[in-house]
């Protein structure tokens, strides 16, 4: 019995004499079984190989349809990558992507639309004083960590912020022009918060609509690989042109430049409106324009503008002279009584073309100073503080004596920015006006001594230069 088991195990093909009384098994059976096993194994291997070949072919086809920047790369093709500690070239990879960062951010900036048109810079030299477009290339000078973004990411961000700012500016003006039933009535800087405070009815539907639109756009057109400069589309190109404005390449470039410039302008405009509201006096021009006479107004951007009849101005032909205008001092009543002013209270007025600011010190002494800060001409009335007998400009913290106009501190805030802005303008004292209390025993209106020809003398310099350039400066009136 023992030999009966040895033979099949050994798979021997040599004839072996069986012991007496025991039937010898066929020596061909084990060999046939082994051949069948080998054949089955070969067939399975062929099937596996065929499947692998098919998968490889399908993978190759899928790879061929991927963008160029997602194709597998050969490390030998990038000799600029220095070997790491393990001797393997340090090729940074993006998770879930085959994109490989390569230098070239500044070169890409030179090919984009509008890097220098705003400043008239020389062609090929974009206006980039802080070198943002060159930061990405610095990644390769260190350890290839993509710390700084490629110019593709920067342009995508610029266009996105510009578009949002253009919509915001339109919304600010539209919100003051008409009102949609169901939405809360509130100024532009409170409108969004009012909607979130009570998201009922049409308000909730509007919020949901905006949120859904933002999610769809951000999801479908996510700037994948823009950080490393290998995005598979042009920055900002969402393929949205329902009016077919870009009919050819030249028109496309023109429309792209218009969008870029209007977006930049809208960003500056929105920032000005934001700062002008939350930091009064910080943005010249956002407050009300000075008037010929009457009390100066506060910020009129969000309020009603008085009609011209209320100001007392009439449309008459203005005639200016280029002759020398001499000062003409006169006491002008302000319409304000000293008893109406509290200590440290300020009131802005325009008297005969002069912007003045009357107020009281902490001790209750009456004073009158120029309303425009000698630094960059911002209104002192928009948030200035009176400390003792010192007035402090609300924008850059310049302080002056209200009695003499003497400069105490020049542009001390905010840190770094304030002193830097102070370097571009020479230090000056604050303009001082004499003032008194009229009436019997000083019980009447406050009067201020001003030059009634100040506005005319200022304008004469303008007309003199303009007429002199035309060869018409003969001293006559125009």
């Amino acid at each position: 019995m023992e030999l009966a088991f040895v033979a099949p195990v050994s798979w021997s093909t040599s004839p072996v004499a069986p012991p007496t009384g025991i039937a010898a098994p066929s020596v061909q059976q084990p060999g046939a079984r082994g051949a069948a096993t080998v054949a089955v194994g070969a067939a399975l291997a062929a099937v596996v190989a065929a499947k692998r070949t098919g998968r490889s072919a399908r993978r190759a086809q899928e790879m061929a349809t991927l963008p160029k920047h997602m194709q597998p790369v050969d490390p030998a093709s990038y000799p600029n990558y220095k070997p790491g500690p393990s001797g393997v070239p340090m090729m940074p990879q993006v998770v879930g992507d085959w994109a490989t960062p390569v230098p070239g951010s500044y070169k890409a900036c030179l090919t984009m639309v509008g890097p220098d048109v705003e400043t008239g810079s020389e062609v090929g030299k974009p206006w980039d004083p802080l070198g943002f477009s060159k930061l990405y290339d610095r990644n390769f000078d260190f350890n290839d960590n993509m710390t700084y973004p490629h110019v593709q990411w920067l342009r995508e961000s610029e266009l996105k912020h510009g578009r949002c700012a253009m919509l915001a500016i339109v919304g600010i003006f539209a919100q003051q022009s008409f009102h949609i039933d169901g939405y809360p009535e509130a100024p532009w800087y409170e409108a969004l918060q009012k909607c979130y405070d009570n998201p009922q009815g049409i308000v909730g539907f509007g919020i949901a609509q905006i949120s859904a639109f933002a999610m769809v756009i951000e999801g479908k057109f996510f700037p994948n690989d823009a950080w490393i400069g290998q995005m598979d589309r042009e920055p900002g190109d969402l393929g949205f042109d329902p009016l077919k404005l870009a009919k050819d390449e030249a028109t496309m470039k023109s429309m792209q430049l218009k969008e870029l410039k209007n977006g930049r302008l809208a960003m500056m405009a929105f920032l000005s409106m934001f700062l002008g509201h939350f930091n009064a006096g910080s943005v010249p021009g956002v407050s009300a324009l000075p008037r010929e006479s009457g009390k100066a107004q506060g910020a009129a951007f969000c309020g009603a503008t008085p009609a011209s009849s209320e100001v007392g101005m009439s449309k008459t032909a203005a005639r200016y002279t280029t002759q020398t205008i001499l000062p003409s001092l006169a006491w002008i009543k302000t319409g304000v009584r000293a008893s109406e002013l509290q200590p440290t209270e300020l009131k802005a007025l325009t008297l005969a073309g002069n912007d003045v600011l009357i107020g009281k010190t902490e001790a209750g002494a009456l004073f009158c100073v120029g309303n425009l800060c000698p630094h960059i001409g911002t209104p002192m009335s928009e948030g200035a503080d009176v400390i003792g007998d010192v007035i402090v400009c609300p924008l850059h913290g310049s302080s002056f004596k209200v009695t003499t106009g003497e400069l105490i501190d020049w542009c001390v805030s905010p840190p770094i920015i304030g002193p830097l802005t102070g370097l571009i303008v020479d230090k000056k004292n604050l303009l001082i006006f004499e003032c008194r209390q009229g009436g019997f025993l000083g019980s009447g209106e406050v009067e201020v001594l001003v030059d009634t020809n100040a506005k005319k003398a200022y304008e004469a310099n303008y007309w003199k230069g303009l007429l002199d350039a035309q060869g018409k400066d003969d001293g006559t009136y125009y």
Side-chain angles (χ1 to χ4, degrees):
M1 294 296 291
E2 184 178 1
L3 292 175
F5 291 96
V6 171
V9 174
S10 64
W11 299 100
S12 174
T13 57
S14 300
V16 179
T20 304
I22 300 177
S26 176
V27 297
Q28 297 299 326
Q29 291 180 0
R33 190 178 300 171
T37 303
V38 172
V40 172
L44 291 175
V47 172
V48 173
K51 289 184 177 180
R52 288 179 177 176
T53 303
R55 284 198 299 266
S56 299
R58 288 193 299 271
R59 180 177 296 179
Q61 293 177 356
E62 293 175 356
M63 294 295 297
T65 61
L66 294 175
K68 181 180 179 181
H69 72 275
M70 296 178 65
Q71 300 291 339
V73 295
D74 181 10
S77 302
Y78 295 90
N80 293 332
Y81 285 95
K82 301 177 182 179
S86 62
V88 180
M90 299 175 61
M91 298 179 59
Q93 301 290 328
V94 178
V95 176
D97 202 340
W98 288 283
T100 302
V102 293
S105 176
Y106 184 71
K107 291 182 180 179
C109 180
L110 300 180
T111 63
M112 290 184 172
V113 176
D116 54 1
V117 292
E118 301 296 339
T119 58
S121 302
E122 182 180 349
V123 177
K125 293 183 179 180
W127 186 78
D128 187 13
L130 299 180
F132 286 130
S133 62
K134 300 178 181 179
L135 286 177
Y136 174 81
D137 296 330
R138 296 289 293 170
N139 292 315
F140 300 87
D141 295 338
F142 299 101
N143 58 356
D144 296 335
N145 280 331
M146 297 296 103
T147 304
Y148 304 111
H150 192 276
V151 73
Q152 278 190 355
W153 179 278
L154 300 177
R155 173 52 61 88
E156 180 87 4
S157 301
E158 180 183 28
L159 288 172
K160 184 179 296 185
H161 285 82
R163 290 164 179 169
C164 292
M166 286 188 284
L167 290 174
I169 292 297
V170 172
I172 289 175
F173 285 99
Q175 188 267 348
Q176 298 182 66
S177 302
F178 58 89
H179 178 260
I180 300 177
D181 293 337
Y183 281 92
E185 294 188 9
W188 66 269
Y189 47 86
E190 296 179 355
L192 184 60
Q193 186 61 46
K194 292 289 186 181
C195 291
Y196 280 114
D197 291 342
N198 187 24
Q200 304 294 332
I202 189 176
V203 177
F205 176 75
I207 295 176
Q209 185 180 26
I210 295 174
S211 301
F213 177 78
M215 287 188 290
V216 170
I217 296 299
E218 291 293 331
K220 183 177 180 180
F221 300 101
F222 179 74
N224 189 36
D225 287 344
W227 190 273
I228 58 175
Q230 299 189 35
M231 187 166 54
D232 55 359
R233 61 176 174 82
E234 188 176 355
D237 185 7
L238 306 183
F240 182 77
D241 187 13
L243 301 180
K244 305 300 180 184
L245 299 177
K247 300 178 180 179
D248 49 43
E249 185 177 357
T251 307
M252 169 66 81
K253 297 297 183 184
S254 176
M255 297 302 295
Q256 287 177 334
L257 183 58
K258 291 178 181 178
E259 180 187 31
L260 185 65
K261 297 181 69 173
N262 282 279
R264 291 169 176 171
L265 180 62
M267 286 189 285
M268 297 299 296
F270 181 78
L271 181 62
S272 299
M273 292 179 180
F274 182 86
L275 294 178
H277 170 74
F278 291 99
N279 188 10
S282 61
V283 182
V286 175
S287 302
L289 296 176
R291 300 182 297 172
E292 187 69 22
S293 62
K295 297 182 180 180
Q297 301 293 318
F301 177 76
C302 300
T305 302
S308 58
S309 59
E310 298 175 7
V311 182
M313 297 177 60
S314 60
K315 294 184 178 180
T316 57
R319 302 181 65 85
Y320 300 96
T321 179
T322 60
Q323 297 175 345
T324 301
I325 306 299
L326 299 177
S328 178
L329 301 178
W331 289 96
I332 304 295
K333 293 182 178 182
T334 61
V336 179
R337 297 179 183 273
S339 58
E340 299 174 358
L341 295 174
Q342 301 298 322
T344 72
E345 183 181 358
L346 300 171
K347 188 174 291 292
L349 302 170
T350 302
L351 304 176
N354 296 272
D355 295 319
V356 301
L357 187 66
I358 61 175
K360 284 185 177 181
T361 64
E362 288 186 341
L366 187 67
F367 68 85
C368 182
V369 298
N371 190 23
L372 303 181
C373 178
H375 180 211
I376 56 176
T378 53
M380 299 283 283
S381 58
E382 302 292 343
D385 294 324
V386 178
I387 305 173
D389 60 350
V390 175
I391 186 169
V392 182
C393 176
L395 183 56
H396 294 122
S398 299
S399 56
F400 309 87
K401 281 275 190 179
V402 297
T403 53
T404 61
E406 178 186 358
L407 172 65
I408 299 176
D409 286 318
W410 183 254
C411 300
V412 295
S413 64
I416 300 178
I417 297 178
L420 287 177
T421 58
L423 295 176
I424 62 177
V425 179
D426 293 335
K427 297 181 179 180
K428 301 176 183 177
N429 292 334
L430 184 63
L431 185 62
I432 297 297
F433 293 89
E434 292 186 35
C435 61
R436 67 185 183 186
Q437 301 181 48
F440 180 72
L441 298 177
S443 59
E445 300 177 7
V446 176
E447 299 177 355
V448 179
L449 184 64
V450 298
D451 180 9
T452 58
N453 285 341
K455 185 174 183 292
K456 185 183 295 184
Y458 175 81
E459 293 174 341
N461 292 328
Y462 165 77
W463 287 106
K464 180 177 178 61
L466 180 64
L467 298 176
D468 182 63
Q470 299 177 357
K472 301 177 181 179
D473 182 14
D474 57 1
T476 57
Y477 291 85
Y478 286 87

